[in-house]
Amino acid sequence: MLYINCPHCGMRSQNEFSYGGDASVKRPELNKEVSDQEWDNFVYNRKSLRGKHLELWQHISGCRQWIKVERDTATHEIFRTFKADEEVA
Amino acid sequence: MTQAFRIENGGLINRDKKLSFKFNGKTYFGYEGDTLASALLANGVHLVGRSFKYHRPRGFFGAGVDEPYAVVQLYRNGETEPNIKATEQELFDGLEAKSVNCWPSVNFDIGAINNFLKIFLPAGFYYKTFMWPKSFWYRIYEPFIRKAAGLGVASTKHDKERYEHKYEYCDLLIAGSGPSGLAGAYAAAKNGAKVILAEDKPRFGGSLLTSDVNIGNQSGKDWAEGIIAELKTMPNVVVKNRSQIFGYYDHNMLVMSEKVSDHLPSTKKYHPNKRLWYIRAKEVLISSGSIERPIVFGNNDTPGVMLSSAAKEYLKVYGVLVGRKPLVFTNNDSGYETAIEFKKHGVDPVVLDSRKNAESEIIDEAKNLGINIKNSFVVVAAQGYKKVKSADIASISDDKKQLGKIENIQCDCICVSGFWTPTIHLASQSGNKTKFKEEIDAFVPGQSKQNEITLGAANGVFSLDETLKTSFKAGSELSKKLTKKDNEIAIPNVVEKKSSQHDKFWCVPLPKGKNYKRFLDFQNDVAVSDVEIALREGYRSIEHVKRYTTLGMATDQGKTSNLNGLQLVSEIENKVVPAVGHTTFRPPYTPVSIGAIVGREVGKHSKPTRKSPMHLWHEKNNAVFVDAGVWLRPRYYKRGNENLFEGSKREAKNVRTNVGVCDVTTLGKIDIKGPDAAELLNRVYTNAWMKLPVGKARYGVMLREDGIVMDDGTTTRISENHYHMTTTTAQAANVLSHLEYYLQLVWPELNVNVVSTTEQWAGAAIAGPKSRDLLQKLFPNSDVSNEGLPFMGFMERDLFGVKARIFRISFSGELAYEVNVESDYGNFMWEKIIELGEEFNIQPYGTEALSTLRIEMGHVAGSELDGRTIPFDNALEGLVSKKKDFIGKRSLQRSAFIAQDRQRIVGVVPLDKQTSIPEGSHLVKDDKAPLPNPKLGHISASCWSVEYDNPFSLAILKDGKNMIGQKLFAMSPLKNKVIPVEIVSSHYVDPKGERVRS
Ligand SMILES: [Zn+2]
């Protein structure tokens, strides 16, 4: 079970969180023309990387905040976590 | 009955407490502190079971967790449990056990015929044999495998035992209480660290209980006892025996199974049977020791052949002689230690040492005691069927390829030692890449992956002195980091005998003309010849060889077989062992009871149960409940002998003619506040929300980004910047997360807050033509006329002193209202409604009537919004704004979603107006078409229309828009029904929706 550092609450076990997918995906702005390809990429296409990956988790049984977690998908090592509005350098 | 093989004195058992037990129906005696294995051996019982494949006789091979043979069916306190290792099961008074894998008895076993047919059961047997013909599978192969498979029989009774889960945090978790674990625990505890020390056996001390060493002028055993006694007094230390750490998971989470009650005749009141510990440790010290490995020779599975360390343990811990004419076969000094113990107890062993000449303090002691030692000698084959009677032995050439003249010597047991294999399972599970250590012919942990360190024998270090020094140091340094304390500890002086280099020899060659079975894996009956076949057939990867031969795949997980298997592959393949590599170690290290894994989450505790504030009223009024997610909802209120069909029909009919009341507390409710609340709604719902006036409700549909309908419900504008959203019961949690996702990540600029208020409000839906009259009684001073409170209107009023919210919304399609009050007043509200509704013939109605009412009105619910439908499919396209953008809108342009013959909701009526159509039935054009019959749609929901008194269903049908009036067939192969049907409008009742506005 992963041990995730919620930037709001501190170290908590994985069972307090729910996974939310790739954090690098940006939703196209509302009311903007979007090509089929662009929309498909947003809705469906994911890289499914092996290695370091920035992903979204929601601390559903805690502060309910969505956070970003930098995690290695192969080793499960967690490097850093960020608040939703934090820029990831 | 006398315990013929129990020595007069000695051992750690309690001779004052005699225990009676039964094995295969026969009564024996043992002592408190025995295991089932030691007690059986004390009584001279060596035959405990039959092997898995060939049903060969099986005895005892080890004395603990590594035991591959002695697996029994245990009976305790009216319960039975399979797959119990006799070497681990502590004896208690009244214990009963039986052999497994044998029929009709362990002494005469029909299945042993496999032994003579073994030519038919080589490696890959299952893959090759059970492939064809297909028709044989159910009748012959499967029953055969089922009968032959498994080690015992699981109980089919409800398990009365209780199992617990416990979550724990510590600075240092230590796996194993041998010298390394004790030293590490002591040093860390002295620095104030929070320490958990786990030992799988009942006694602490590990190898110190059986080794002939001296620590700080005490015997190893006394030193261990002293350390444990002191640790137990320290508040920062938890010491746990009978506790096996079986899994090392991510981020230093380890799981331990504590056997709380297995050693007792029955579980004490309020105690669990087992307790599963989830431990998050900052640091982990793996001091799991090592397991002796066998040397492979002919018939090496005969009862009476066992590990030399096990023979020593039976003698020193339990005071039991495993034989009176022991033969010790060794390639290292450990065998001599066992021989010396035999000799000290008046038994004359013969030692066969594969080494030509070896000298050490231990060997000198053996020689001084006058033990018969034969160098460059090996056991070629054990002789005897149910018990070792003699051994064929021979000298062996220096290159270990040629055997000398074979002679036969009498013996009643063969104690074998092929050196030691570090127990690296936990380290490997942690992700540690293990490395091969040439000096010991075995793998040891490599670079630490998580915060773990492996020390002592588990790390391939067999010197006690070195183990203690490194472990004290590690315990002190690991704890110093965390506690910033540094209490110095005097490291005790160690006296131990030096041993000599072991022989890299593991398998005795077959003599000419002999074809003895030489077993590698004793539980799965995998012999040298099986691995040879696998390699000959082209299997190369050790992972494939493992699966093809089943080597190391039994419940002992190859604790005694893995390395010898690797040695064999490396020899045949002419590769070094590290190049072959070992198979992956996976948790659990030992079998874990399913009960312990499940814990308290059984029966009604397997999920939380949510009840509405009116639940007791429902109970008192004969509600029959149904699970709605985690909620319990009344399905119908039973009157007399009514069944579900009759009861729900009565309730639905009463709504259509009088008035009914339904508990709708379970609906998800989300409070939305902020100046941008309308903007949020406008973005997440498909329809327009910017102009909804205060005091009005609106129905909305929410999509996922892929255009599929996620949820529907009404949202009401309570005040300028305050909205009350309702969701379906099932989607309440998802919708909240969905809103939070967009607010926190996508549109952080929106000034809105959302919070779940599902549990803050109790809700009652009042529906039926007389609902307004009832509402007027409930709110006598309010104008609830069609003008005062129009359809989709909202007002806050006082319900006899309680603040109430009144929504004029309808799911039933009748004139209807929903009244919400704070949850604590839910029952008050409900009883008022029932009391004042009496004059209007009110009846409460449950979810079944609710379904009937919505189905015949063509209102969609979860069975239509099933994660596969878009608004059009549900005839909701009128709610999809063309002007504004919203979540999922772009996806609605996908070609499949705009196809002309797109599926759509329709009504379905059986032509005979009699036969109910099973939900899930397929709609087809031709009921006689060959299979697979092309499916045009499926029945999503069925009811008995109370309006028309005939069956009515909703369906999602291809090109549904143009199918009205068509005749099709509803087919349900599951219910074996073919029903001719007519397609009608989904709005079966009141298609113009006049009632809700009346
Ligand atoms: Zn949090």
Side-chain angles (χ1 to χ4, degrees):
Chain A
M1 199 179 339
L2 306 184
Y3 208 25
I4 301 172
N5 188 11
C6 171
H8 308 281
C9 309
M11 298 300 294
R12 298 300 178 94
S13 272
Q14 183 185 344
N15 48 6
E16 293 187 12
F17 294 83
S18 79
Y19 181 68
D22 189 338
S24 66
V25 175
K26 278 259 176 295
R27 190 190 193 282
E29 271 175 49
L30 287 167
N31 299 307
K32 202 185 121 204
E33 269 300 299
V34 184
S35 71
D36 285 353
Q37 186 59 55
E38 215 179 317
W39 188 253
D40 279 357
N41 284 343
F42 161 62
V43 178
Y44 298 106
N45 298 332
R46 297 290 180 269
K47 289 206 178 80
S48 194
L49 291 174
R50 185 182 204 277
K52 214 181 246 189
H53 187 230
L54 191 68
E55 51 201 25
L56 294 171
W57 290 76
Q58 189 185 13
H59 195 187
I60 46 163
S61 304
C63 61
R64 292 208 61 90
Q65 294 300 301
W66 284 88
I67 62 170
K68 296 174 197 168
V69 176
E70 190 180 47
R71 184 180 71 105
D72 190 306
T73 56
T75 65
H76 294 180
E77 185 175 353
I78 291 176
F79 306 96
R80 296 178 296 173
T81 55
F82 307 88
K83 293 179 182 169
D85 57 0
E86 254 180 287
E87 277 307 311
V88 179
Chain B
M1 178 154 312
T2 56
Q3 298 175 37
F5 289 82
R6 185 87 69 179
I7 55 172
E8 286 290 307
N9 296 301
L12 308 177
I13 46 169
N14 178 11
R15 288 173 193 261
D16 295 332
K17 193 145 184 215
K18 209 167 165 186
L19 305 175
S20 146
F21 69 102
K22 268 188 187 171
F23 183 67
N24 286 336
K26 200 168 161 189
T27 302
Y28 300 92
F29 292 95
Y31 292 117
E32 186 178 77
D34 262 325
T35 60
L36 174 57
S38 68
L40 284 171
L41 285 168
N43 287 282
V45 177
H46 279 260
L47 180 62
V48 276
R50 292 278 174 164
S51 73
F52 189 63
K53 201 157 82 181
Y54 301 126
H55 291 239
R56 285 163 72 107
R58 285 290 183 252
F60 300 94
F61 194 69
V65 67
D66 50 325
E67 175 63 35
Y69 294 154
V71 172
V72 298
Q73 182 87 22
L74 189 79
Y75 300 83
R76 170 179 174 271
N77 196 26
E79 298 282 345
T80 183
E81 201 176 342
N83 197 8
I84 298 294
K85 290 187 175 88
T87 53
E88 288 191 294
Q89 176 61 50
E90 290 173 65
L91 199 66
F92 55 78
D93 204 42
L95 180 149
E96 278 190 68
K98 279 184 187 157
S99 301
V100 296
N101 277 343
C102 52
W103 184 85
S105 83
V106 68
N107 268 304
F108 175 74
D109 177 22
I110 290 280
I113 201 138
N114 284 351
N115 191 24
F116 304 104
L117 298 175
K118 65 192 166 205
I119 189 82
F120 298 118
L121 295 166
F125 167 71
Y126 296 97
Y127 298 103
K128 289 167 183 163
T129 312
F130 297 136
M131 293 295 284
W132 64 85
K134 208 175 159 191
S135 61
F136 269 38
W137 182 255
Y138 295 106
R139 283 189 298 119
I140 295 169
Y141 297 149
E142 196 187 328
F144 174 81
I145 293 174
R146 284 201 184 281
K147 198 161 160 43
L151 299 157
V153 185
S155 170
T156 52
K157 284 199 296 185
H158 173 75
D159 189 349
K160 288 180 298 202
E161 298 277 357
R162 217 159 62 89
Y163 303 87
E164 280 181 1
H165 285 183
K166 185 179 166 77
Y167 289 80
E168 193 56 271
Y169 296 81
C170 67
D171 293 326
L172 180 62
L173 174 63
I174 299 174
S177 73
S180 174
L182 289 174
Y186 190 75
K190 283 282 179 189
N191 276 347
K194 191 172 177 209
V195 176
I196 298 175
L197 173 63
E199 168 60 46
D200 68 311
K201 294 205 165 188
R203 296 173 185 86
F204 295 98
S207 63
L208 294 176
L209 297 178
T210 54
S211 58
D212 184 13
V213 294
N214 193 292
I215 306 173
N217 292 323
Q218 300 175 79
S219 73
K221 178 178 99 44
D222 290 347
W223 179 81
E225 275 171 9
I227 294 278
I228 284 291
E230 193 173 343
L231 287 174
K232 279 182 174 169
T233 65
M234 299 169 81
N236 53 325
V237 181
V238 173
V239 290
K240 280 280 162 195
N241 57 342
R242 304 186 175 101
S243 296
Q244 179 71 261
I245 297 173
F246 65 79
Y248 197 138
Y249 300 89
D250 289 312
H251 300 178
N252 263 32
M253 156 78 85
L254 292 94
V255 185
M256 172 169 98
S257 171
E258 180 190 0
K259 293 178 179 169
V260 182
S261 309
D262 281 353
H263 61 293
L264 302 170
S266 63
T267 305
K268 284 187 201 148
K269 203 172 181 185
Y270 306 125
H271 279 225
N273 179 282
K274 291 187 185 68
R275 186 179 287 127
L276 209 65
W277 295 55
Y278 292 87
I279 304 170
R280 190 78 74 172
K282 290 194 178 122
E283 301 283 345
V284 176
L285 167 57
I286 301 170
S287 45
S288 44
S290 57
I291 290 173
E292 202 167 20
R293 61 179 177 255
I295 302 175
V296 178
F297 56 86
N299 302 330
N300 55 339
D301 64 331
T302 311
V305 177
M306 70 167 66
L307 292 172
S308 100
S309 57
K312 189 171 76 171
E313 187 169 335
Y314 286 119
L315 195 46
K316 290 204 81 164
V317 175
Y318 305 102
V320 170
L321 283 169
V322 297
R324 296 199 183 277
K325 276 183 81 62
L327 181 63
V328 176
F329 177 25
T330 188
N331 71 358
N332 70 96
D333 288 5
S334 296
Y336 289 87
E337 290 177 11
T338 303
I340 288 166
E341 288 302 326
F342 274 123
K343 186 77 184 175
K344 281 181 182 168
H345 288 92
V347 171
D348 270 324
V350 176
V351 175
L352 306 187
D353 190 334
S354 69
R355 296 173 295 183
K356 190 174 185 180
N357 41 35
E359 278 178 30
S360 72
E361 286 180 68
I362 298 167
I363 297 174
D364 285 345
E365 188 186 351
K367 282 179 179 160
N368 291 340
L369 286 168
I371 291 173
N372 181 2
I373 299 166
K374 290 160 111 56
N375 281 99
S376 288
F377 251 82
V378 297
V379 174
V380 177
Q383 297 297 351
Y385 182 56
K386 288 177 195 164
K387 178 74 196 295
V388 170
K389 290 200 173 81
S390 66
D392 289 345
I393 64 170
S395 63
I396 192 160
S397 61
D398 292 352
D399 65 0
K400 306 288 194 265
K401 296 215 163 99
Q402 304 300 320
L403 293 173
K405 187 169 161 291
I406 290 173
E407 50 189 296
N408 184 272
I409 65 168
Q410 298 294 304
C411 59
D412 61 0
C413 67
I414 301 175
C415 306
V416 56
S417 177
F419 206 52
W420 295 86
T421 306
T423 304
I424 55 170
H425 299 64
L426 286 178
S428 178
Q429 286 173 19
S430 83
N432 186 310
K433 288 268 175 289
T434 56
K435 61 182 188 210
F436 192 73
K437 195 171 173 184
E438 284 292 339
E439 307 96 272
I440 61 165
D441 288 325
F443 287 91
V444 292
Q447 186 73 40
S448 293
K449 174 72 180 130
Q450 301 196 36
N451 290 349
E452 104 277 353
I453 182 171
T454 305
L455 293 174
N459 194 32
V461 173
F462 301 113
S463 148
L464 178 64
D465 191 41
E466 191 186 337
T467 292
L468 284 183
K469 278 185 182 135
T470 51
S471 303
F472 272 119
K473 190 162 158 249
S476 132
E477 278 174 3
L478 290 173
S479 55
K480 201 163 73 184
K481 275 199 304 191
L482 301 166
T483 64
K484 316 283 179 232
K485 285 186 197 151
D486 193 3
N487 286 319
E488 227 159 86
I489 291 167
I491 295 177
N493 196 40
V494 170
V495 182
E496 62 181 322
K497 294 197 183 73
K498 298 270 175 304
S499 51
S500 55
Q501 178 63 38
H502 78 287
D503 193 359
K504 290 174 188 292
F505 169 72
W506 66 277
C507 183
V508 180
L510 281 177
K512 270 201 189 73
K514 293 287 185 189
N515 197 20
Y516 298 122
K517 274 271 174 200
R518 294 172 299 167
F519 285 95
L520 291 167
D521 183 315
F522 301 102
Q523 196 174 100
N524 267 358
D525 278 359
V526 180
V528 170
S529 52
D530 294 311
V531 174
E532 286 169 350
I533 289 173
L535 292 166
R536 214 155 56 222
E537 292 184 0
Y539 290 89
R540 289 294 174 270
S541 156
I542 188 67
E543 296 282 359
H544 292 157
V545 171
K546 166 181 165 176
R547 280 157 185 80
Y548 195 60
T549 60
T550 72
L551 174 71
M553 285 173 69
T555 64
D556 65 332
Q557 294 261 296
K559 289 179 178 64
T560 51
S561 64
N562 279 339
L563 262 176
N564 284 339
L566 290 180
Q567 292 280 10
L568 177 61
V569 174
S570 80
E571 266 177 34
I572 300 173
E573 292 283 290
N574 210 7
K575 280 187 201 160
V576 288
V577 172
V580 175
H582 61 73
T583 54
T584 313
F585 292 101
R586 290 193 179 85
Y589 172 67
T590 50
V592 182
S593 154
I594 296 286
I597 293 168
V598 172
R600 298 281 281 134
E601 292 170 22
V602 288
K604 66 178 182 186
H605 297 298
S606 55
K607 58 178 171 48
T609 304
R610 295 175 84 178
K611 297 173 181 172
S612 96
M614 290 83 96
H615 187 84
L616 277 179
W617 190 95
H618 303 324
E619 269 185 0
K620 277 187 210 139
N621 288 275
N622 295 327
V624 176
F625 291 95
V626 63
D627 291 329
V630 292
W631 289 95
L632 271 184
R633 297 190 72 178
R635 198 168 185 192
Y636 75 110
Y637 299 81
K638 195 181 176 90
R639 287 191 179 177
N641 289 327
E642 269 180 349
N643 61 22
L644 172 66
F645 178 73
E646 294 156 352
S648 62
K649 209 163 108 174
R650 167 184 52 74
E651 291 171 3
K653 193 143 188 88
N654 193 58
V655 171
R656 293 266 184 253
T657 50
N658 295 308
V659 59
V661 59
C662 181
D663 186 347
V664 291
T665 303
T666 62
L667 281 186
K669 304 172 202 78
I670 298 171
D671 208 55
I672 303 176
K673 274 184 180 162
D676 294 324
E679 179 64 29
L680 172 70
L681 297 172
N682 209 44
R683 293 179 184 189
V684 297
Y685 278 130
T686 59
N687 48 341
W689 285 82
M690 299 309 283
K691 288 178 184 151
L692 181 72
V694 172
K696 277 285 194 180
R698 183 167 287 174
Y699 175 72
V701 174
M702 235 178 248
L703 305 188
R704 310 190 309 213
E705 290 286 17
D706 63 1
I708 299 290
V709 179
M710 177 179 180
D711 199 39
D712 69 342
T714 57
T715 293
T716 306
R717 191 167 189 181
I718 306 284
S719 65
E720 182 65 23
N721 293 328
H722 183 192
Y723 292 79
H724 172 82
M725 175 186 277
T726 64
T727 74
T728 59
T729 302
Q731 291 291 334
N734 289 346
V735 170
L736 183 65
S737 273
H738 182 75
L739 298 179
E740 286 165 336
Y741 174 89
Y742 286 99
L743 285 174
Q744 293 172 26
L745 290 160
V746 186
W747 310 313
E749 69 279 6
L750 291 187
N751 190 357
V752 188
N753 269 304
V754 294
V755 67
S756 165
T757 53
T758 301
E759 299 197 339
Q760 276 64 37
W761 296 100
I766 303 167
K770 294 179 184 165
S771 58
R772 182 178 291 128
D773 300 337
L774 171 56
L775 198 72
Q776 189 68 70
K777 293 263 172 189
L778 288 165
F779 302 95
N781 303 321
S782 302
D783 176 8
V784 296
S785 67
N786 204 20
E787 295 71 38
L789 182 57
F791 182 53
M792 295 310 248
F794 162 77
M795 51 171 62
E796 279 180 301
R797 290 291 184 274
D798 187 284
L799 176 75
F800 303 104
V802 174
K803 192 180 86 177
R805 289 176 168 181
I806 313 163
F807 308 83
R808 188 171 162 193
I809 53 179
S810 176
F811 190 49
S812 58
E814 292 298 326
L815 170 66
Y817 304 86
E818 252 181 63
V819 184
N820 283 6
V821 295
E822 284 174 31
S823 291
D824 287 351
Y825 297 101
N827 203 54
F828 169 80
M829 166 184 69
W830 187 267
E831 288 186 338
K832 272 284 171 213
I833 292 169
I834 295 289
E835 177 198 326
L836 297 175
E838 203 169 339
E839 63 175 291
F840 307 109
N841 293 321
I842 195 167
Q843 286 180 22
Y845 63 102
T847 55
E848 199 69 17
L850 185 71
S851 290
T852 297
L853 295 166
R854 74 94 185 168
I855 291 169
E856 60 177 6
M857 280 288 167
H859 289 173
V860 293
S863 49
E864 289 76 36
L865 311 180
D866 63 353
R868 296 178 295 183
T869 54
I870 59 171
F872 176 88
D873 306 348
N874 295 295
L876 294 171
E877 69 277 12
L879 289 172
V880 176
S881 169
K882 295 205 169 56
K883 294 193 190 121
K884 57 140 194 176
D885 198 1
F886 54 83
I887 296 302
K889 185 177 191 182
R890 179 64 178 78
S891 289
L892 296 179
Q893 293 172 26
R894 291 179 60 198
S895 54
F897 288 176
I898 52 174
Q900 285 302 309
D901 59 351
R902 179 75 200 170
Q903 62 176 5
R904 190 172 171 88
I905 188 167
V906 294
V908 182
V909 179
L911 293 186
D912 67 359
K913 301 269 174 108
Q914 291 291 326
T915 314
S916 288
I917 309 170
E919 289 176 352
S921 297
H922 282 192
L923 292 170
V924 300
K925 208 172 191 82
D926 174 8
D927 65 326
K928 303 279 187 309
L931 296 174
N933 196 337
K935 170 197 159 192
L936 302 176
H938 72 276
I939 301 293
S940 59
S942 288
C943 72
W944 188 276
S945 165
V946 289
E947 186 85 9
Y948 297 106
D949 202 25
N950 58 251
F952 176 73
S953 298
L954 292 175
I956 305 288
L957 179 64
K958 191 178 167 79
D959 198 20
K961 209 168 185 173
N962 298 312
M963 296 291 278
I964 308 295
Q966 297 266 352
K967 303 240 174 7
L968 298 174
F969 295 92
M971 297 185 75
S972 173
L974 280 176
K975 300 264 165 82
N976 202 17
K977 276 192 176 170
V978 179
I979 305 162
V981 298
E982 182 180 355
I983 305 302
V984 300
S985 161
S986 59
H987 299 292
Y988 197 45
V989 174
D990 189 24
K992 290 188 182 147
E994 285 163 346
R995 294 181 189 178
V996 294
R997 293 181 173 78
S998 63

